[in-house]
Amino acid sequence: MSTNPTTLFDKVWDAHVVRKIEDGPDVLFIDRHFIHEVTSPVAFLGIENRGIGVMYPQRTFATADHNTPTINQHLPVADPLSAKQLAALSSNAEKYGISIWALGSPKNGIVHVVGPENGITQPGMTIVCGDSHTSTHGAFGSIAFGIGTSEVEMVLSSQCIMQPKPKKMRITVNGKLGKGVLPKDVALYIIAQITASGATGYFVEYAGEVFENMTMEGRMTVCNMSIESGARGGMIAPDETTFNYIKGREKAPKGEDWDKALAYWKTLKTDADAQFDSELSFNGADIEPQITYGTNPGLGTGITRKIPKASEVKDGEASYKKSLAYMDFREDENIIGKKIDYVFLGSCTNGRIEDFRAFASIVKGKKKADNITAWLVPGSHIVEAQIKEEGILDILTEAGFELRQPGCSACLAMNDDKIPAGKYAVSTSNRNFEGRQGPGARTLLASPYVAAAVAVTGVVTDPRELIEEEAAV
Amino acid sequence: MAYDKFTVLQSTAVPLPIENVDTDQIIPARFLKATERKGFGDNLFRDWRYNNDDTPKQDFVLNNPIYSGKILVGGKNFGSGSSREHAAWAIYDYGFRCVISSFFADIFKGNSLNIGILPVTVSEAFLDKIFKAIEADPKTELEVNLPEQKVTILATGESEGFDINGYKKHNLMNGFDDIDYLQDMKTEIAAFAEKSIY
Ligand code: SF4
């Protein structure tokens, strides 16, 4: 028997290679495929035009999320183009026998929230979806990544895609996180250190105490943001935290199947001497609450820091200046104290129950700042129900906030939730590109704590100041 | 979706010397509502190309008539961000067949190859030479030779090789795509699926 030490990534990848093409990609079998209304219609058209069917409809799950309204979901969708996309998703799902959680279903929500929530996502799987933040599912020790529409068509018609095997990177973070530091800060910190293209060509494994001590939701936030450093995806070895999270969920294996699966899942870890193409390590204690100031997720820093000078950043000087001009920020300015107009809590990055708990813990007993418009958007109907059950909604309402209905919302601003041109938004989502949250909108990415601190003060505020107050009470 | 075969392309090129051109710039999300693959070229670089009132922004390169061609030359880390294949469709639909940069985001690169756009990665030094050559003379022609895996600045004869795997090269040169390939493998795939524990 070969005792070649291998990585977690190799184990999962190699177990899914149907065929290796010489001087070409691997043909990779896909266990789970998620689809949504935006990137699937053209794939279904392709299948129709070629006269080929869906090979394993039971391996695909559909949900409507990118383009759905976040108020009055019981009414017909007003925008005719959005309505048409949603109708196409439903009719394609019906035609090919694919399970769908359409708008209005109690299981509906953002694709990367509902997959794990219902136990569809499991360790050791290959998972794809026509959305780059599919990397979220890597939190369970699966290989999960975003694909284009041609690949959606491939998976539908053959349950396979063709991919060259990426290189492997391990990012280790040991130590303890400081007060007020959330998984989102860990993710933003790593991206700021390695830049928005620092992991391009790699698949990342996150290792070390910081991730071992994280909840599944925290791990999902970190893996979700992998793509923002250019990585194809990120994964974390499954452990008791993972197994406890999955057990009992609707689509999780039961009885004997569970025991069998568990025995296999426990083998999914990187061997001691396995080699990575690149290894990085950071110290958890160095991470403070983060915020971005530029127009890619790599342009972020500790919230108490100043905006760097062009000479200090790795992006080209011209690109950096363009970025600051778009934000109307200047080099060497403080970020703390900047006036903000919008706060967005939500998305597949930070739209889960723990994110709402974190947000509520800061706004509790305070009032929303008058200059702030706040959009609080749960990642799914299940999260929404939990917010109500746990009394979080009462805390939010008392502080002057309203809850919207689940969906991607202002993460990509395909629906009506667009930040107006020139306005500043502190967002818990994942991208701060020019116009991402609406044409001309200016986005600062941050954690739910930072978003909450901004929501009650109206300016960029270090959340640790407010947490201290809490503790003193 | 079938696409035109790609062998040797000789063309002038459009320069976009900006780093980290992300897919939200290539095609903003609000134009992703189509259920068919049509007309995306009109909205290529929409927010860089047009003012809010839909008048063209004079200083953007696609609005400058001295630049044209089937090759787009972009700065480092081209195509970062979302997995939307619409970005590649928009570039193809506008009329480009090749994008040259010193570094591509992974998903964009894969999407491009899947729809018949050739992404060519050159060294930063050579990319700089191309930008300078176009700046000096917007009528500068480039030759992208896929069989020989080589890009040449025709006026000076300077050239550089590029990498592409044999499988993708063969596909592009023949106008085949992965879906055709996978359809031929279905028995093998079904046998594999039998063993799956999920
Ligand atoms: S919330 Fe944003 S990143 Fe997540 S699936 Fe929706 S659009 Fe994609």
Side-chain angles (χ1 to χ4, degrees):
Chain A
M1 236 186 80
S2 145
T3 51
N4 231 356
T6 51
T7 67
L8 166 63
F9 176 77
D10 290 315
K11 286 180 180 146
V12 180
W13 181 281
D14 296 348
H16 289 86
V17 175
V18 180
R19 183 191 283 181
K20 276 193 173 309
I21 299 172
E22 205 184 319
D23 193 18
D26 288 350
V27 176
L28 202 66
F29 188 79
I30 300 302
D31 295 311
R32 291 290 179 272
H33 179 209
F34 294 104
I35 58 173
H36 58 82
E37 74 276 22
V38 176
T39 54
S40 69
V42 172
F44 281 107
L45 267 189
I47 282 180
E48 229 130 278
N49 291 341
R50 289 178 201 247
I52 51 181
V54 175
M55 193 171 181
Y56 294 113
Q58 68 277 21
R59 291 181 178 272
T60 295
F61 294 82
T63 182
D65 56 1
H66 279 62
N67 208 350
T68 53
T70 55
I71 47 169
N72 293 327
Q73 287 185 351
H74 60 288
L75 299 177
V77 174
D79 174 3
L81 290 175
S82 304
K84 198 170 161 208
Q85 270 194 337
L86 293 167
L89 182 72
S90 293
S91 67
N92 286 325
E94 190 183 349
K95 178 163 176 198
Y96 293 102
I98 292 166
S99 312
I100 177 167
W101 292 323
L103 193 59
S105 148
K107 292 278 177 70
N108 172 259
I110 304 173
V111 54
H112 312 309
V113 177
V114 301
E117 195 171 65
N118 291 286
I120 300 173
T121 303
Q122 295 165 24
M125 283 181 166
T126 46
I127 301 175
V128 297
C129 169
D131 181 283
S132 53
H133 292 91
T134 306
S135 59
T136 312
H137 308 263
F140 292 79
S142 53
I143 290 182
F145 52 90
I147 57 175
T149 298
S150 295
E151 290 165 315
V152 173
E153 188 177 337
M154 285 175 218
V155 180
L156 288 171
S157 58
S158 68
Q159 207 55 42
C160 286
I161 58 168
M162 313 194 53
Q163 289 283 309
K165 193 173 180 181
K167 289 181 288 182
K168 290 159 289 186
M169 177 187 283
R170 177 160 60 186
I171 299 180
T172 306
V173 188
N174 280 315
K176 239 178 101 78
L177 295 179
K179 189 180 72 173
V181 177
L182 291 173
K184 180 64 161 292
D185 298 307
V186 177
L188 287 173
Y189 177 85
I190 293 172
I191 302 162
Q193 300 304 308
I194 71 175
T195 79
S197 59
T200 302
Y202 290 93
F203 212 97
V204 175
E205 178 178 346
Y206 299 98
E209 291 153 18
V210 162
F211 306 111
E212 284 159 20
N213 294 331
M214 249 178 215
T215 62
M216 281 320 292
E217 298 203 356
R219 293 179 190 180
M220 283 189 245
T221 301
V222 170
C223 289
N224 171 284
M225 294 292 289
S226 304
I227 179 80
E228 304 309 335
S229 60
R232 213 52 228 280
M235 68 200 300
I236 296 175
D239 58 10
E240 289 305 318
T241 307
T242 321
F243 310 142
N244 290 337
Y245 178 97
I246 300 171
K247 192 161 191 180
R249 292 187 187 257
E250 185 183 326
K251 309 267 181 192
K254 308 264 152 51
E256 242 173 73
D257 289 343
W258 170 263
D259 298 337
K260 220 171 96 190
L262 190 65
Y264 172 57
W265 295 347
K266 286 186 172 168
T267 67
L268 297 173
K269 43 168 104 43
T270 293
D271 299 331
D273 297 322
Q275 290 294 310
F276 288 82
D277 301 291
S278 170
E279 288 250 25
L280 298 171
S281 65
F282 301 103
N283 182 352
D286 293 344
I287 306 174
E288 62 167 332
Q290 303 284 304
I291 193 155
T292 67
Y293 50 82
T295 55
N296 74 59
L299 296 175
T301 184
I303 194 162
T304 59
R305 312 275 170 107
K306 292 186 170 189
I307 294 173
K309 298 191 184 74
S311 55
E312 296 162 5
V313 294
K314 288 176 197 144
D315 290 50
E317 189 162 333
S319 303
Y320 184 63
K321 294 218 155 125
K322 184 172 182 295
S323 184
L324 289 193
Y326 180 84
M327 295 299 288
D328 197 18
F329 285 164
R330 269 147 286 279
E331 297 171 47
D332 219 21
E333 252 180 350
N334 279 324
I335 312 174
I336 289 272
K338 287 255 176 225
K339 194 159 166 279
I340 300 298
D341 310 292
Y342 283 76
V343 165
F344 172 56
L345 173 67
S347 86
C348 59
T349 313
N350 284 122
R352 298 184 179 81
I353 189 65
E354 287 177 9
D355 303 311
F356 280 82
R357 287 185 197 138
F359 188 93
S361 73
I362 288 198
V363 306
K364 186 174 184 180
K366 301 191 181 65
K367 285 278 172 235
K368 182 182 80 66
D370 289 338
N371 60 308
I372 296 286
T373 303
W375 290 338
L376 314 185
V377 188
S380 71
H381 283 277
I382 292 182
V383 174
E384 184 187 27
Q386 237 173 321
I387 290 171
K388 291 179 181 161
E389 252 169 56
E390 293 186 14
I392 293 173
L393 181 59
D394 301 331
I395 296 173
L396 297 174
T397 313
E398 238 163 75
F401 295 96
E402 283 165 33
L403 197 62
R404 297 175 81 89
Q405 289 173 300
C408 294
S409 179
C411 172
L412 91 164
M414 261 189 92
N415 66 359
D416 290 338
D417 305 346
K418 292 180 176 60
I419 310 292
K423 297 289 183 195
Y424 290 94
V426 166
S427 296
T428 66
S429 49
N430 39 59
R431 290 197 169 129
N432 50 358
F433 298 149
E434 286 185 29
R436 169 77 178 185
Q437 297 200 280
R442 294 165 171 153
T443 300
L444 292 81
L445 300 174
S447 76
Y449 276 160
V450 173
V454 172
V456 293
T457 60
V459 298
V460 175
T461 301
D462 187 338
R464 289 170 296 191
E465 290 170 19
L466 301 181
I467 295 173
E468 214 134 47
E469 261 174 46
E470 281 293 281
V473 173
Chain B
M1 181 112 179
Y3 49 78
D4 299 339
K5 294 177 190 177
F6 194 118
T7 47
V8 180
L9 176 66
Q10 275 190 14
S11 169
T12 51
V14 177
L16 193 62
I18 299 171
E19 292 185 13
N20 300 314
V21 172
D22 60 73
T23 50
D24 274 83
Q25 307 319 316
I26 299 173
I27 183 95
R30 59 187 191 282
F31 300 112
L32 307 185
K33 294 192 182 185
T35 43
E36 286 172 87
R37 192 186 141 180
K38 269 194 203 139
F40 285 98
D42 293 344
N43 295 315
L44 175 66
F45 293 116
R46 181 76 202 192
D47 294 337
W48 285 352
R49 204 165 136 199
Y50 296 101
N51 294 304
N52 287 344
D53 59 2
D54 290 337
T55 54
K57 289 187 181 174
Q58 291 314 333
D59 56 354
F60 187 62
V61 66
L62 292 189
N63 295 324
N64 188 339
I66 65 172
Y67 298 107
S68 64
K70 293 187 168 191
I71 302 170
L72 178 64
V73 190
K76 193 169 97 184
N77 198 22
F78 191 90
S80 60
S82 130
S83 61
R84 61 188 71 157
E85 194 169 292
H86 311 66
W89 298 343
I91 288 172
Y92 189 97
D93 190 48
Y94 185 88
F96 293 114
R97 289 297 173 271
C98 171
V99 184
I100 300 176
S101 173
S102 57
F103 197 89
F104 287 95
D106 281 336
I107 303 185
F108 176 80
K109 192 170 163 184
N111 285 343
S112 297
L113 287 165
N114 281 340
I115 67 153
I117 295 173
L118 177 62
V120 172
T121 309
V122 294
S123 66
E124 283 189 30
F126 196 70
L127 186 70
D128 202 50
K129 272 188 193 158
I130 296 177
F131 278 133
K132 290 219 168 92
I134 302 172
E135 195 185 331
D137 177 11
K139 291 280 153 275
T140 296
E141 288 218 354
L142 304 178
E143 180 186 282
V144 179
N145 188 316
L146 179 57
E148 290 181 18
Q149 298 180 216
K150 201 169 82 175
V151 198
T152 310
I153 303 171
L154 287 175
T156 62
E158 288 169 289
S159 72
E160 192 174 272
F162 62 86
D163 282 340
I164 180 169
N165 71 52
Y167 167 83
K168 281 290 176 193
K169 178 176 172 178
H170 176 259
N171 270 3
L172 275 177
M173 287 177 62
N174 294 286
F176 293 159
D177 66 16
D178 292 349
I179 297 167
D180 301 329
Y181 186 97
L182 291 170
Q183 282 302 303
D184 286 344
M185 266 185 74
K186 276 182 130 171
T187 329
E188 198 177 333
I189 295 169
F192 191 93
E194 278 290 299
K195 297 178 298 179
S196 164
I197 67 155
Y198 298 106

